[in-house]
Amino acid sequence: MKLTSRSVSPVAIVSTVAAAALGASLMLAANTPANAATTLGAAAAQSGRYFGTAIAAGRMNDSTYIGILNREFDMVTAENEMKMDATEPQQGRFSYGNADRILNHARNQGKRVRGHALAWHSQQPGWMQSMSGSSLRNAMLNHVTQVATYYRGKIYAWDVVNEAFADGSSGARRDSNLQRTGNDWIEAAFRAARAADPGAKLCYNDYNTDDWSHAKTQGVYRMVQDFKARGVPIDCVGFQSHFNAQSPVPSNYQTNLQNFANLGVDVQITELDIEGSGSSQASNYDRVTRACLAVTRCAGITVWGIRDTDSWRAYGTPLLFDGSGNKKAAYNSVLNALNAGGPGPGPTTTTTTNDPIPGGCTASVSLNSWDNGFVATVKVTAGSSALRGWQITTTLSSGTVTSSWNANRSGNSGTVNWTNVDFNGAVGAGQSTEFGFQGTGSGAGLNPSCTAS
Ligand code: XIL
């Protein structure tokens, strides 16, 4: 007997529920499919994105803090420890102790690192604040070169220049000692960074550039457009996205990200925090997350701290975890939005039969890897008959699987076996479905093989 069944994609289920029940986080959690990712990093990885946080070296002995970091985030920014005053406290004497502590912890956990920041008018060491002219220009370029060389090969993206534009209606550069060395200081910094670490993405990072109609946004946009036109090496624009009642999430936030992406750069949300509480804060976080997911070149989101009490604006309770480390409504809204943006549309209709003729299946893997970690997306394709279920075997030559989605797993190192979950076992003849996992190590040689059932 032939039966046809219509299976609705889990993506559709999550987004419907999320739209209907934003703020009712318990209900949302109860309605989330059992196979949705349960951490921010894994949820973001489903669409090839990352979810990061800033951390402070001084808090790394706090086990609650480190526990949340290790569990939830797959990208790390040093909140202060890679800034100019921290890394070159005396001219020509570099100091990387706290920065290394953060970077090594992240990398040992299979997480990537955003470098923040090579050149900035603020948090300069005292010796630099009093410099000017060509000696300052040379000192700045030497700093960029030394720090980017020291971390060569270990940084996913550098904020090469931070906050170089003025607030207000001018759309012009901010006055600073660095700006007074000549308008080309920014491109000079980018060229030095590219030469020092050709593998790192190079970002310009700023705040109050989230609203497309603001003069400051337009000023940055014109600079990036000009850099792309003249071949100045820039790969990404960072939007700090510090929001509160005076500076709310703009209605054109997604358009703004898209407009920059259309210049041929990645966009990244680099320092997200949103003051507030309860469902209004949760809905703002939801909007920001969905805006990133809607822009193909939005590579990921970083929040500026873990718990409210860790924040530089603790009074505004702007983060995803409360002071005790509990998940807030804002956390649930971000997680659900990430899951809704999850594995992509996939097949919405699959046809299966009760008595399939075994036609076999094949599997292939696409890998997104970095130094000590990877995300693998495995594509399972039915042969000449529909599948009712499938089993995949992969081989990890090193490292372990740290999280996975859209498949059941047995084992987390060496030979790892995977089977379909409820919603993706039925695959029509010649059709495909995907599942994914994240792990430490290189992910080389996974060599998936497929058995139909
Ligand atoms: C902040 C840190 O969070 C604070 O601990 C420090 O006292 C000041 O700097 N824009 C940036 C970040 O690019 O580096 C800033 O971080 C917040 C605003």
Side-chain angles (χ1 to χ4, degrees):
M1 182 179 69
K2 294 236 174 211
L3 285 182
T4 6
S5 70
R6 183 180 161 79
S7 76
V8 179
S9 108
V11 177
I13 297 171
V14 177
S15 51
T16 311
V17 172
L22 221 204
S25 48
L26 280 177
M27 185 181 149
L28 252 176
N31 280 290
T32 302
N35 301 107
T38 56
T39 65
L40 300 169
Q46 293 172 108
S47 67
R49 294 181 172 85
Y50 64 81
F51 205 98
T53 182
I55 66 166
R59 296 184 198 272
M60 289 178 68
N61 293 330
D62 176 334
S63 59
T64 305
Y65 184 78
I66 287 293
I68 299 172
L69 168 70
N70 291 351
R71 184 184 77 220
E72 295 286 344
F73 300 97
D74 61 359
M75 184 72 75
V76 169
T77 306
E79 186 173 355
N80 289 295
E81 293 78 352
M82 287 192 190
K83 292 174 181 175
M84 298 179 108
D85 57 350
T87 50
E88 196 178 356
Q90 294 164 297
Q91 188 169 15
R93 309 249 321 247
F94 291 83
S95 151
Y96 296 111
N98 286 329
D100 281 352
R101 204 167 156 216
I102 290 174
L103 178 122
N104 290 333
H105 178 87
R107 286 164 54 82
N108 289 338
Q109 292 279 325
K111 305 178 194 304
R112 290 182 284 177
V113 177
R114 291 192 82 264
H116 175 81
L118 292 171
W120 190 18
H121 69 276
S122 182
Q123 291 183 266
Q124 290 182 356
W127 60 266
M128 186 179 271
Q129 291 173 29
S130 56
M131 286 177 88
S132 63
S134 59
S135 55
L136 173 60
R137 172 67 70 92
N138 290 336
M140 180 276 287
L141 291 176
N142 182 55
H143 180 88
V144 170
T145 300
Q146 296 292 329
V147 177
T149 301
Y150 180 80
Y151 286 116
R152 181 186 178 115
K154 298 178 177 171
I155 299 288
Y156 162 70
W158 267 113
D159 292 330
V160 178
V161 169
N162 197 29
E163 302 184 349
F165 278 74
D167 293 313
S169 59
S170 72
R173 298 283 182 85
R174 170 198 296 277
D175 178 52
S176 73
N177 60 349
L178 291 168
Q179 181 62 30
R180 289 191 292 271
T181 69
N183 205 50
D184 63 345
W185 75 276
I186 298 182
E187 60 198 81
F190 274 81
R191 292 201 162 97
R194 180 68 100 225
D197 186 355
K201 289 183 187 289
L202 305 182
C203 300
Y204 175 78
N205 191 52
D206 214 329
Y207 68 95
N208 279 353
T209 49
D210 310 290
D211 188 321
W212 178 242
S213 68
H214 282 178
K216 184 173 176 182
T217 309
Q218 294 295 315
V220 173
Y221 180 85
R222 283 191 298 271
M223 179 187 76
V224 176
Q225 190 173 42
D226 169 57
F227 279 11
K228 293 299 287 182
R230 290 191 295 114
V232 177
I234 183 167
D235 307 302
C236 37
V237 176
F239 298 83
Q240 292 185 9
S241 302
H242 297 293
F243 295 121
N244 57 21
Q246 291 69 47
S247 175
V249 183
S251 58
N252 59 27
Y253 188 68
Q254 181 183 320
T255 304
N256 192 55
L257 296 177
Q258 187 65 62
N259 288 345
F260 275 88
N262 291 347
L263 291 175
V265 288
D266 284 355
V267 294
Q268 303 179 11
I269 299 169
T270 52
E271 303 182 14
L272 180 62
D273 52 16
I274 310 178
E275 291 182 25
S277 62
S279 60
S280 72
Q281 183 181 49
S283 96
N284 281 322
Y285 265 104
D286 171 77
R287 280 189 48 212
V288 169
T289 308
R290 284 173 193 274
C292 178
L293 290 166
V295 175
T296 307
R297 291 201 72 160
C298 183
I301 300 174
T302 295
V303 287
W304 205 240
I306 296 182
R307 301 164 300 197
D308 284 335
T309 44
D310 303 319
S311 169
W312 69 313
R313 311 198 293 180
Y315 52 86
T317 60
L319 295 174
L320 301 179
F321 295 87
D322 70 18
S324 308
N326 300 311
K327 296 170 181 175
K328 295 168 56 183
Y331 171 94
N332 290 322
S333 77
V334 170
L335 183 68
N336 285 310
L338 292 170
N339 275 321
T348 50
T349 307
T350 50
T351 305
T352 187
T353 68
N354 257 354
D355 48 356
I357 306 148
C361 58
T362 55
S364 60
V365 64
S366 80
L367 206 59
N368 178 0
S369 57
W370 51 96
D371 257 12
N372 188 34
F374 66 90
V375 170
T377 304
V378 178
K379 187 173 185 180
V380 180
T381 305
S384 54
S385 327
L387 304 175
R388 284 189 296 192
W390 42 263
Q391 190 201 317
I392 303 287
T393 301
T394 54
T395 311
L396 260 76
S397 50
S398 65
T400 58
V401 176
T402 52
S403 62
S404 56
W405 47 95
N406 296 345
N408 300 308
R409 162 165 57 96
S410 78
N412 73 346
S413 61
T415 302
V416 180
N417 288 311
W418 310 85
T419 54
N420 63 275
V421 287
D422 293 347
F423 60 79
N424 64 7
V427 184
Q431 306 269 296
S432 299
T433 188
E434 290 184 341
F435 70 96
F437 55 101
Q438 181 159 1
T440 58
S442 75
L446 286 167
N447 200 22
S449 63
C450 185
T451 309
S453 58

